[in-house]
Amino acid sequence: MPAFYQPTDALLRSFGFTQFASPAGQTRFSRPSECGQETIVLYSDDELTLLEAVNGQLLYCFQGRIASEAEFRVLLRQVNWPAEVQTT
C-alpha cells in the first residue's frame, strides 16, 4: 500500500493557517488570502482538499492525495497560494 503525505499542524501554522473546528475524520485549516479565504481540509484517509472562497463563491482547487512535502508545496504554488513560512 503506498504511503501518502499530509502536512503537519506545525507546517500549516508556519504558512499562516489557523486550525478550526471540523467534523470527525477531518482537520480544517484556513487563512485569509488577498481576495478571500484559503482552506485546507485533511481527512483521516490521507486525502486532502484545497479550496478558496472568493467574493462569496467557493472554488475547489484540488482534492486527492500527495506523496511528499515537496509535492504539497508545488501544489500550493500551482493554485497560486503562498508556500513559504510567514514571519509576521
Side-chain angles (χ1 to χ4, degrees), residues 4-79:
F4 297 106
Y5 170 82
Q6 284 197 331
T8 64
D9 293 0
L11 179 65
L12 292 173
R13 290 178 199 283
S14 75
F15 287 172
F17 286 92
T18 302
Q19 187 172 352
F20 288 89
S22 56
Q26 298 181 15
T27 308
R28 185 175 301 257
F29 294 85
S30 292
R31 70 179 177 189
S33 68
E34 290 182 20
C35 57
Q37 187 79 14
E38 299 167 344
T39 300
I40 296 175
V41 182
L42 305 176
Y43 298 94
S44 58
D45 66 354
D46 292 330
E47 194 163 298
L48 61 86
T49 299
L50 275 62
L51 51 103
E52 186 169 7
V54 177
N55 297 326
Q57 293 187 5
L58 191 58
L59 307 175
Y60 289 89
C61 300
F62 175 84
Q63 185 168 3
R65 293 180 176 94
I66 55 175
S68 66
E69 182 179 330
E71 186 178 350
F72 176 65
R73 288 174 183 259
V74 168
L75 176 62
L76 292 180
R77 289 185 183 108
Q78 286 177 337
V79 295

